[in-house]
Amino acid sequence: MNETSYHHGDLRTAMIEKGMEMINEGGLKNLSLRKLAAACGVSHAAPYSHFSGKDDLFAAIQNHITDKFVIVLNEAIKNSSETSDGLFHMGCNYVLFFVRNPKYFSFLFSRANIYLDLTGESGGYEPFAIYKKLMHQLFAETQYPEELWLKTILSHWAFVHGLASVVTMSGADTIKEWEDIIPDLLANNYFLQ
């Protein structure tokens, strides 16, 4: 085994992280569990004790990233005393999560299997569902006209998601002040601030 071999700890998480990296670099078609095992320095059979195949690995990677993302979004809400404050901090956390993890953005959003429930109750993809629920709470508190709810949700989600897209583009890593810039951008463009 080489020096980068996997020796101990959480093999499943190590394979999820390495698998995401390999998919981002070479695409899903170029990934095999055998290549993943080699990259982690384990036997070619080891991945099969955690994943039934590539599709299962892909789903595990998406769930792993989404779980981490949801924790960050929920922290913003939990640490805010007012709904509008929670929405602002959630927007900041959304973008800064991808500033800190740019490969996560490309992995999640270059795939076609994320569903946003725009008009239904559920919200679909969990981060969007959390955001949508918070927006509905704010609308109810402020007696915001119901006919504007969908347009407002879409415009603000698009703004925050668009910022996340920008910060993960090539060249964006040259800006070291994202931690300061993002709150300023959101404070100047955000709903009911």
Side-chain angles (χ1 to χ4, degrees):
M1 290 187 188
N2 61 36
E3 286 185 37
T4 60
S5 295
Y6 172 82
H7 292 289
H8 52 329
D10 184 357
L11 178 58
R12 179 179 168 79
T13 300
M15 286 190 290
I16 285 171
E17 291 286 341
K18 181 54 84 174
M20 182 202 56
E21 184 181 311
M22 292 172 74
I23 291 169
N24 279 340
E25 290 172 1
L28 185 59
K29 290 181 182 180
N30 293 319
L31 176 70
S32 70
L33 293 184
R34 185 176 287 272
K35 288 179 185 176
L36 177 61
C40 291
V42 296
S43 76
H44 69 275
Y48 290 98
S49 63
H50 299 280
F51 311 105
S52 61
K54 274 183 13 176
D55 290 342
D56 191 30
L57 170 64
F58 179 82
I61 295 169
Q62 187 168 358
N63 290 337
H64 175 76
I65 296 169
T66 299
D67 290 347
K68 291 171 90 168
F69 190 24
V70 164
I71 288 168
V72 166
L73 298 179
N74 280 326
E75 283 175 1
I77 298 168
K78 183 177 75 175
N79 295 327
S80 300
S81 58
E82 296 182 22
T83 306
S84 60
D85 188 47
L87 191 59
F88 170 76
H89 290 291
M90 185 177 168
C92 290
N93 281 14
Y94 185 106
V95 179
L96 292 173
F97 177 78
F98 294 113
V99 166
R100 297 173 188 131
N101 306 286
K103 291 182 179 181
Y104 287 178
F105 187 89
S106 62
F107 181 87
L108 284 177
F109 299 112
S110 65
R111 312 296 180 253
N113 65 342
I114 289 181
Y115 170 73
L116 302 183
D117 184 358
L118 300 176
T119 57
E121 288 294 316
S122 76
Y125 184 55
E126 190 174 2
F128 182 74
I130 294 167
Y131 164 77
K132 186 176 167 186
K133 180 180 176 184
L134 196 60
M135 287 292 284
H136 281 200
Q137 184 178 333
L138 184 61
F139 293 152
E141 289 173 6
T142 59
Q143 299 177 348
Y144 196 71
E146 194 167 340
E147 65 273 12
L148 299 177
W149 285 22
L150 179 60
K151 289 179 183 177
T152 304
I153 287 170
L154 289 175
S155 66
H156 291 94
W157 177 267
F159 180 73
V160 170
H161 189 75
L163 281 174
S165 177
V166 168
V167 302
T168 61
M169 295 174 83
S170 296
D173 57 350
T174 60
I175 298 177
K176 303 298 182 205
E177 297 83 19
W178 282 125
E179 302 274 339
D180 298 323
I181 293 171
I182 296 304
D184 286 345
L185 289 171
L186 290 174
N188 290 316
N189 293 285
Y190 220 75
F191 178 66
L192 294 180
Q193 285 302 307

